[in-house]
Amino acid sequence: MKKWQKFILSILLILYAIPLAEFVWPVEFYRVLQSINDFLAKIHVPKIPWLTVSFNTGIVLLGLLLIIWLVVLFAPIARLELILRSDKDGQLELSNKSIASYTELAVIKAGLFNPRVKVKSTRNHVKIAVRAATEGNQLLKPQLTAITDRLNHQITNFIGDDAFKVHTKILIDQQQKHEKTRPRVV
């Protein structure tokens, strides 16, 4: 889990604690809030209307839950394989790893070096991200689009079903000329 995801989940958990504490321990919750307001009065800070804060927090969290529920409900499901055919005898599946291996071989045949391929597939879509290196500026933009189109066509033929939409993105890095490693003498 990434740091920003942990941060957002932490904030949501803290926000959920306020209405949950009010619901589970109403008497103790109001005592704590009263002691907080008494402390604020001693340091000359206006009292906080905790009932409206709790109500507004609950409404905001309810809205967030609704949005999260809609995203989970309608977001495409990532799959580890494409289901090519399904019948009473079973399913014919093509894994993302096999698509990545085939793509890697096709990119090497196109003249690129050190390809790194990532494949994401959903029910009807296959997205392929290729990061490869080339020597110098041999590969120009028109050649790159031709390679991408040829790769999309080859992968569609490899899958064997035109119902799957294949989208390929190729990123080119310029290959560094490695200097000879020399031992360090101290």
Side-chain angles (χ1 to χ4, degrees):
M1 190 176 276
K2 297 178 182 173
K3 287 183 180 181
W4 67 269
Q5 293 171 333
K6 289 180 183 179
F7 180 73
I8 289 175
L9 283 177
S10 301
I11 289 175
L12 283 176
L13 285 175
I14 291 170
L15 289 177
Y16 273 113
I18 296 171
L20 184 66
E22 182 182 5
F23 181 71
V24 176
W25 304 291
V27 176
E28 291 84 4
F29 183 71
Y30 289 123
R31 285 185 195 154
V32 169
L33 295 180
Q34 186 61 35
S35 63
I36 291 173
N37 277 340
D38 292 341
F39 174 74
L40 292 176
K42 288 180 183 177
I43 59 171
H44 305 293
V45 175
K47 291 184 178 182
I48 298 174
W50 290 107
L51 289 176
T52 57
V53 169
S54 178
F55 179 76
N56 292 338
T57 304
I59 294 295
V60 167
L61 292 176
L62 185 65
L64 282 174
L65 274 177
L66 181 65
I67 291 170
I68 290 170
W69 178 70
L70 290 174
V71 167
V72 167
L73 187 65
F74 293 113
I77 298 171
R79 299 176 183 245
L80 297 176
E81 66 277 326
L82 295 175
I83 299 174
L84 300 177
R85 189 178 65 219
S86 180
D87 56 9
K88 64 180 181 177
D89 296 328
Q91 294 180 345
L92 177 62
E93 298 175 346
L94 183 62
S95 71
N96 288 350
K97 289 182 181 182
S98 61
I99 295 171
S101 297
Y102 183 80
T103 305
E104 188 173 326
L105 289 174
V107 167
I108 289 173
K109 285 182 184 177
L112 301 175
F113 304 105
N114 300 329
R116 292 178 302 281
V117 180
K118 293 182 182 178
V119 177
K120 291 183 181 179
S121 61
T122 59
R123 186 174 182 188
N124 295 321
H125 297 281
V126 178
K127 292 183 181 179
I128 301 170
V130 179
R131 185 172 209 108
T134 183
E135 291 179 357
N137 289 330
Q138 296 174 359
L139 196 62
L140 300 174
K141 190 114 177 149
Q143 293 173 336
L144 184 63
T145 56
I147 289 173
T148 304
D149 292 340
R150 189 174 342 118
L151 191 59
N152 284 340
H153 182 69
Q154 288 175 343
I155 293 170
T156 303
N157 289 339
F158 176 68
I159 293 172
D161 192 356
D162 291 335
F164 294 102
K165 293 179 179 75
V166 179
H167 177 68
T168 305
K169 181 178 181 182
I170 299 178
L171 299 172
I172 301 296
D173 295 331
Q174 191 168 355
Q175 187 171 355
Q176 302 291 326
K177 293 184 179 179
H178 298 287
E179 294 181 16
K180 294 181 182 178
T181 57
R182 297 181 182 129
R184 184 175 169 198
V185 179
V186 181

